[in-house]
Amino acid sequence: MRVGAHVSIAGGVDNAVENQVDVGGNCGQIFTHSPQVWQDPNVGDDEAAAFREGTSERLDGPWVIHSSYLVNLCTPKDDLREKSVDSMQKEVDAAAKLDIPYVNVHLGAHTGAGVQQGLDNAVSALDDLDVPDDVTVLVESDAGSGTKLGGDFEHLAYVVEESRHDLDVCLDTAHAFAAGYDLSTPDAVDDALAEFDDVVGADRLACVHLNDSKHECGTNKDEHAHIGEGLIGEDGMRAFVNHDLVAGEDVPLVLETPHEDGRGFAWNVEKVRELRDEA
């Protein structure tokens, strides 16, 4: 079972390996810099080599780089589009340097341009990237608040199908739940994943952000809860992590759960393993 967490790279990207081991993970996700500012990845050759060696020796992988929160692929604004494409280019190049196979990105918001124009903007921005051969861009499902796109599976399918790149998808359980895809019961999980397979394609599911939700299904509110303790709950989480589309394909599960109530990633990683073992 491939399960891990989004861990810190403080002190050097190679420290992410030890941080992942400390929480019991064998795969995971990182930011290459603060996600709330425009900043280039600053990965030295020595720390990159140490990261690659540590990953090879101590983890199963894969790693995922999560792009900056400022990136907006759907934007109609030329200056923001240029910054977003430049930022993404640097992320995919950093991924190649670190032997990380995936860079994850939200589509962003159309900010009044309309859904179709926003999706076309995203395709155009992604198509401007020079993606290294061993790197794949993942389009992440969104909670769908305001003019943000990616909440509907149809949005993901359109971008994946229209782009010149071989894109895949990262499905975030809390986001999908917030966007209206019920995951709280075994039957609901079956229905939601069947719809994902029908609309996007199971072969496009390369990663899952496994998070419970503090808010009801369909509220478009994105706030993560400990696994099994939110409104998706244990029944839904158990059904999801053991579903054939997820467990049968050994899709990597990356946690972005909170640090609260005296519990953090280690507790949640162990909880996921318990839910898989209960099947």
Side-chain angles (χ1 to χ4, degrees):
M1 182 181 188
R2 293 185 292 175
V3 59
H6 184 127
V7 296
S8 172
I9 65 163
V13 68
D14 50 315
N15 289 333
V17 175
E18 184 67 32
N19 293 338
Q20 194 64 249
V21 171
D22 285 347
V23 300
N26 56 20
C27 66
Q29 182 173 265
I30 59 170
F31 292 122
T32 61
H33 56 83
S34 170
Q36 297 167 328
V37 296
W38 293 114
Q39 183 177 339
D40 295 344
N42 183 21
V43 181
D45 292 343
D46 289 345
E47 63 180 289
F51 176 88
R52 295 192 302 266
E53 181 179 358
T55 295
S56 176
E57 291 179 353
R58 306 184 69 187
L59 302 173
D60 297 325
W63 284 104
V64 180
I65 289 175
H66 195 301
S67 65
S68 169
Y69 291 144
L70 300 181
V71 168
N72 185 350
L73 302 177
C74 296
T75 182
K77 300 177 181 178
D78 290 342
D79 57 340
L80 180 53
R81 181 189 189 280
E82 183 178 352
K83 287 181 178 180
S84 297
V85 171
D86 181 65
S87 178
M88 283 295 295
Q89 185 63 57
K90 290 181 170 66
E91 298 288 20
V92 296
D93 290 342
K97 184 173 185 176
L98 293 167
D99 284 348
I100 291 178
Y102 300 120
V103 174
N104 181 73
V105 65
H106 295 267
L107 290 177
H110 66 72
T111 63
V115 172
Q116 188 58 55
Q117 186 61 58
L119 293 174
D120 288 336
N121 290 346
V123 171
S124 173
L126 288 166
D127 283 356
D128 277 357
L129 297 176
D130 181 11
V131 182
D133 289 341
D134 295 332
V135 177
T136 299
V137 174
L138 305 182
V139 181
E140 181 178 345
S141 64
D142 198 272
S145 61
T147 66
K148 289 182 179 180
L149 301 181
D152 293 342
F153 291 161
E154 287 80 4
H155 297 170
L156 306 176
Y158 182 84
V159 173
V160 166
E161 290 166 4
E162 294 298 319
S163 175
R164 71 181 181 88
H165 295 300
D166 188 14
L167 306 176
D168 283 329
V169 170
C170 174
L171 180 64
D172 187 305
T173 52
H175 295 174
F177 188 71
Y181 297 96
D182 190 10
L183 297 170
S184 62
T185 68
D187 285 346
V189 169
D190 285 343
D191 290 344
L193 290 180
E195 184 170 352
F196 181 90
D197 188 17
D198 183 57
V199 174
V200 181
D203 60 322
R204 295 291 191 180
L205 182 61
C207 180
V208 166
H209 284 170
L210 192 71
N211 303 299
D212 211 326
S213 174
K214 290 186 177 181
H215 300 282
E216 296 281 358
C217 182
T219 58
N220 304 118
K221 294 181 178 180
D222 176 19
E223 191 175 5
H224 299 174
H226 291 307
I227 299 299
E229 300 202 350
L231 292 167
I232 296 176
E234 275 203 13
D235 288 348
M237 281 291 170
R238 183 183 298 107
F240 186 92
V241 301
N242 289 293
H243 193 280
D244 284 347
L245 193 150
V246 177
E249 300 300 325
D250 194 22
V251 176
L253 309 174
V254 177
L255 305 178
E256 301 168 322
T257 45
H259 291 74
E260 59 188 19
D261 306 322
R263 291 170 292 179
F265 287 142
W267 184 91
N268 284 278
V269 167
E270 181 58 29
K271 182 67 174 182
V272 174
R273 289 203 168 99
E274 290 174 3
L275 294 176
R276 176 68 65 84
D277 290 342
E278 290 174 2

